[in-house]
Amino acid sequence: MRMKNKTVIVTGGASGFGEGMIRRFAEEGANTVIADINDNAGEALAREISGKGTPCVYTHCDVTDSGYFQNLVTSTVDQFSTIDVMINNAGMPQTNQPMLDVDEDTFQRIFDVNVKSIFLATRAVVPVMREQGSGSIINTASTAALRPRPGLVWYNASKGAVTTMTKAMAVELAPDQIRVNALCPVAGETPMLGAFMGGEITNEMRSAFVSTVPMGRLSTPLDMANAALFFASDESTFITGVCMEVDGGRCI
Ligand SMILES: NC(=O)c1ccc[n+]([C@@H]2O[C@H](COP(=O)([O-])OP(=O)(O)OC[C@H]3O[C@@H](n4cnc5c(N)ncnc54)[C@H](O)[C@@H]3O)[C@@H](O)[C@H]2O)c1
């Protein structure tokens, strides 16, 4: 059990990559906190996991709102005493379309959910981690930050902000023994995939995309969960500021 007695918060933990992380961390003995706005899915997942004997709670948290983060941190510390790992994973896609077709409200929402959320999470959780003298923050970025492609301009830019924040946070928080790393997944098998592909995913679209991934498949929630587990665990205690591709070689 690599995460026994550790407490892990995952934003966007009710679906896709975040759900995979919650399941994998629970298998490794962690206390898990699902922070999401999808109450039905979050509550059902928390019931399922805690029913198997590992504490798991759901907390409604809109990551664009600082009040929810304060509540999330306070309730987590009240229940579990520490916050060892904060995974900023909730995200919003841009529907694949030309950059001039994206309206201002959509642009703002993409940056609020993907970028401002990390600012708000950091302000809430870092004081707790400083007090503890340790912590691991993991941000879900994307290959979109490292190798931006057409049709996703503003989403690409938001994930570029995530990788820059990750490195900048890592240097500033290093003296506190708080590590900050990011995951950069290639397109993954989650409900978000359709938006990136511009709607319904046909077999032709899938095959065309997969052919650009040297290892010949899309990413999965388990790929992301295993990578997050490495950044969260004591196996990576001297690793900070790394934005790691989880992409089967796509960015090479
Ligand atoms: N799926 C992909 O192809 C892919 C590729 C690269 C990066 N990503 C990134 O991975 C992360 C997870 O995405 P996913 O693919 O698992 O998608 P998903 O749609 O399965 O899950 C996203 C989760 O975020 C939650 N969420 C959305 N807005 C929120 C808000 N304001 N507050 C709290 N929770 C909110 C949703 O309710 C959902 O549970 C995102 O940051 C996404 O940008 C996804």
Side-chain angles (χ1 to χ4, degrees), residues 11-19 21 34-39 41 58 60-65 69 88-93 109 112-114 117 139-144 155 158-159 183-194 196-197 218-219 221 224:
T11 70
S15 171
F17 292 152
E19 178 183 346
M21 291 172 189
I34 303 163
D36 208 297
I37 49 175
N38 185 340
D39 297 342
Y58 172 72
H60 181 91
C61 175
D62 179 342
V63 295
T64 66
D65 184 318
F69 271 115
N88 294 306
N89 167 76
M92 179 175 163
R109 185 78 188 148
D112 282 352
V113 177
N114 295 357
S117 60
N139 299 322
T140 299
S142 172
T143 53
Y155 176 81
S158 74
K159 293 300 187 178
L183 301 170
C184 299
V186 74
E189 303 279 10
T190 76
M192 200 179 277
L193 186 62
F196 293 130
M197 300 259 176
L218 303 182
S219 68
M224 287 290 286

Side-chain angles (χ1 to χ4, degrees), residues 129-147:
M129 290 181 168
R130 278 198 166 129
E131 184 77 23
Q132 292 167 182
S134 67
S136 171
I137 297 172
I138 302 168
N139 299 322
T140 299
S142 172
T143 53
L146 310 175
R147 192 166 180 269

Side-chain angles (χ1 to χ4, degrees), residues 168-221:
M169 287 168 64
V171 278
E172 193 161 321
L173 293 173
D176 298 301
Q177 305 305 314
I178 300 170
R179 300 182 299 109
V180 189
N181 293 290
L183 301 170
C184 299
V186 74
E189 303 279 10
T190 76
M192 200 179 277
L193 186 62
F196 293 130
M197 300 259 176
E200 202 184 324
I201 310 165
T202 63
N203 287 341
E204 290 72 30
M205 287 158 77
R206 182 181 287 270
S207 305
F209 189 87
V210 164
S211 72
T212 69
V213 181
M215 292 189 82
R217 65 171 176 84
L218 303 182
S219 68
T220 66

Side-chain angles (χ1 to χ4, degrees), residues 71-146:
N71 174 54
L72 174 69
V73 165
T74 305
S75 63
T76 303
V77 171
D78 283 351
Q79 189 156 4
F80 297 120
S81 304
T82 61
I83 300 176
D84 302 286
V85 183
M86 177 79 209
I87 306 187
N88 294 306
N89 167 76
M92 179 175 163
Q94 175 188 329
T95 304
N96 198 309
Q97 61 188 326
M99 66 176 121
L100 298 187
D101 291 355
V102 176
D103 63 41
E104 193 175 336
D105 286 349
T106 304
F107 172 89
Q108 188 62 57
R109 185 78 188 148
I110 290 170
F111 271 73
D112 282 352
V113 177
N114 295 357
V115 181
K116 183 180 154 197
S117 60
I118 299 179
F119 167 77
L120 297 177
T122 301
R123 287 164 66 91
V125 85
V126 163
V128 174
M129 290 181 168
R130 278 198 166 129
E131 184 77 23
Q132 292 167 182
S134 67
S136 171
I137 297 172
I138 302 168
N139 299 322
T140 299
S142 172
T143 53
L146 310 175

